[in-house]
Amino acid sequence: MGRRYRILLVSSSGGVLLDLLALRPWWERHDPVWVAVRAPDTEVALAGQRVHWRPELSTRTRLRVLPATWRALRLLRRERPDVVVSAGTGVAVGVFLAARLLRVPSLWLETFNMTGPAGAAARLCSRLAAAVLVQRPALLASRPRAVLIGELY
Amino acid sequence: MARVLVTVGMGPWPFDRLVAAVAPLCAAHEVFVQTGTSTVTPPCPYAAFLPLDDLRERLAAADVVITHAGNTVRLVQRLGRVPVAVAREAARGEMGNDHQVAYLREEERSGRVVAVWDVADLPAVVAAHPERQRRLVAERPLPGAVDGERLADTLDALCARLVR
């Protein structure tokens, strides 16, 4: 048994939640805590997990990124995660900025159906991330610091 | 008469174009629609959101799954079947970007999917589905998913490198 990490998983609703849930064989070896956007799927899927509920950020509410980052800084200081993981979307931006400021390594997981250029949140988060987890070999060339993890489901 | 499941995913964007296009199917088939945040409703049984377990059961029980071009595409393929997929388009307010369009174009070229670009085609696509499904499953391979133990080992090795 290796070292046990405190893992902070950050998720909106939709397919990105499925991706993080598919990482369960990994995070259940460790101490997971979640930051999630409250929605019908996140509420059901994360029942029994430790969750900090946060609002989603979108391109229309981008000015909220500063207060969101501030709140994320306080949350990271309290939770002291060893690593932060997200597949998206907007809610991850504040947490990834805060993690970068506190030098906590973050992993950006590219969701399966992302085949071409990434969206705004994905571009920013993958730039802030210590590694970008990709599910297809074809993406290794086009993503910085990419690590191939295989198809999650 | 086929059992048809339509799903637009659990995300925050409506997909009225697909939900509205389901109407002609409702008369001829046994249809259930997961509508998400769409602002229109179909003339057949529907629910805004389904718990993931419930959705998986319905995916497994359906003869034809019609889905947005999200991760459901892979869920259906893993059940050994061929999904009918419609991509959300940013210009129609169905998503913030066009990555479903790019994904579906690529998957249509080489993967096990029936891509629908004009939702008026849905009745004909459903009628032709059993035969097309047989052909695509026979002709196109499906890449394997990663084993859980290996995935966990890969990520542990990565963290051993990154975490102080």
Side-chain angles (χ1 to χ4, degrees):
Chain A
M1 186 71 197
R3 183 175 159 193
R4 202 174 167 93
Y5 299 110
R6 290 175 67 80
I7 301 173
L8 184 74
L9 300 125
V10 188
S11 185
S12 304
S13 74
V16 295
L17 171 68
L18 295 189
D19 282 326
L20 290 187
L21 291 174
L23 297 183
R24 183 187 291 269
W26 173 58
W27 53 253
E28 72 184 0
R29 288 181 179 181
H30 302 282
D31 295 325
V33 57
W34 293 74
V35 169
V37 176
R38 203 181 276 283
D41 58 342
T42 49
E43 285 191 342
V44 172
L46 300 181
Q49 298 287 325
R50 219 150 63 73
V51 186
H52 299 273
W53 299 105
R54 290 289 186 273
E56 180 67 304
L57 290 172
S58 70
T59 44
R60 270 170 301 184
T61 58
R62 72 177 88 192
L63 286 177
R64 289 200 211 133
V65 74
L66 283 175
T69 306
W70 179 250
R71 280 189 84 188
L73 274 169
R74 286 195 311 192
L75 186 135
L76 289 178
R77 287 212 185 94
R78 204 162 60 234
E79 291 288 350
R80 303 202 156 276
D82 295 305
V83 59
V84 175
V85 191
S86 184
T89 43
V91 66
V93 172
V95 183
F96 271 52
L97 280 166
R100 183 66 179 262
L101 288 171
L102 296 178
R103 300 186 181 194
V104 177
S106 53
L107 310 178
W108 180 254
L109 168 56
E110 287 243 332
T111 194
F112 181 74
N113 64 4
M114 191 68 80
T115 52
R123 273 202 311 276
L124 181 56
C125 288
S126 59
R127 219 171 285 154
L128 293 167
V132 176
L133 312 177
V134 298
Q135 302 188 46
R136 311 157 187 258
L139 290 175
L140 280 173
S142 61
R143 300 295 190 260
R145 303 175 304 289
V147 174
L148 181 66
I149 57 170
E151 287 199 16
L152 289 177
Y153 56 84
Chain B
M1 172 124 155
R3 275 165 305 175
V4 179
L5 176 72
V6 183
T7 172
V8 302
M10 301 292 172
W13 299 84
F15 200 1
D16 291 355
R17 182 165 57 103
L18 176 54
V19 175
V22 168
L25 295 173
C26 293
H29 302 285
E30 188 187 325
V31 184
F32 187 92
V33 188
Q34 182 262 316
T35 57
T37 57
S38 303
T39 62
V40 295
T41 54
C44 59
Y46 68 91
F49 294 102
L50 295 170
L52 189 55
D53 292 348
D54 190 356
L55 178 68
R56 279 183 200 273
E57 273 170 34
R58 288 176 187 273
L59 291 177
D63 299 312
V64 184
V65 176
I66 301 171
T67 173
H68 73 149
N71 292 351
T72 326
V73 167
R74 213 30 145 215
L75 293 180
V76 176
Q77 290 169 336
R78 291 281 176 229
L79 292 166
R81 307 228 302 285
V82 175
V84 173
V86 184
R88 291 170 176 272
E89 295 174 18
R92 298 178 195 259
E94 295 162 351
M95 206 165 192
N97 55 51
D98 272 333
H99 83 251
Q100 285 204 353
V101 175
Y103 166 64
L104 188 56
R105 281 215 189 94
E106 187 174 305
E107 195 67 12
E108 182 183 29
R109 254 198 313 274
S110 57
R112 288 182 183 178
V113 72
V114 172
V116 170
W117 300 102
D118 179 351
V119 289
D121 296 342
L122 280 176
V125 167
V126 169
H129 197 67
E131 178 50 35
R132 286 178 88 176
Q133 175 162 269
R134 256 193 302 280
R135 193 161 42 81
L136 285 169
V137 167
E139 288 172 1
R140 299 188 173 181
L142 184 66
V146 66
D147 159 74
E149 189 91 351
R150 220 180 108 204
L151 170 71
D153 289 345
T154 304
L155 290 170
D156 275 349
L158 180 62
C159 285
R161 184 156 67 75
L162 295 176
V163 176
R164 283 175 298 172

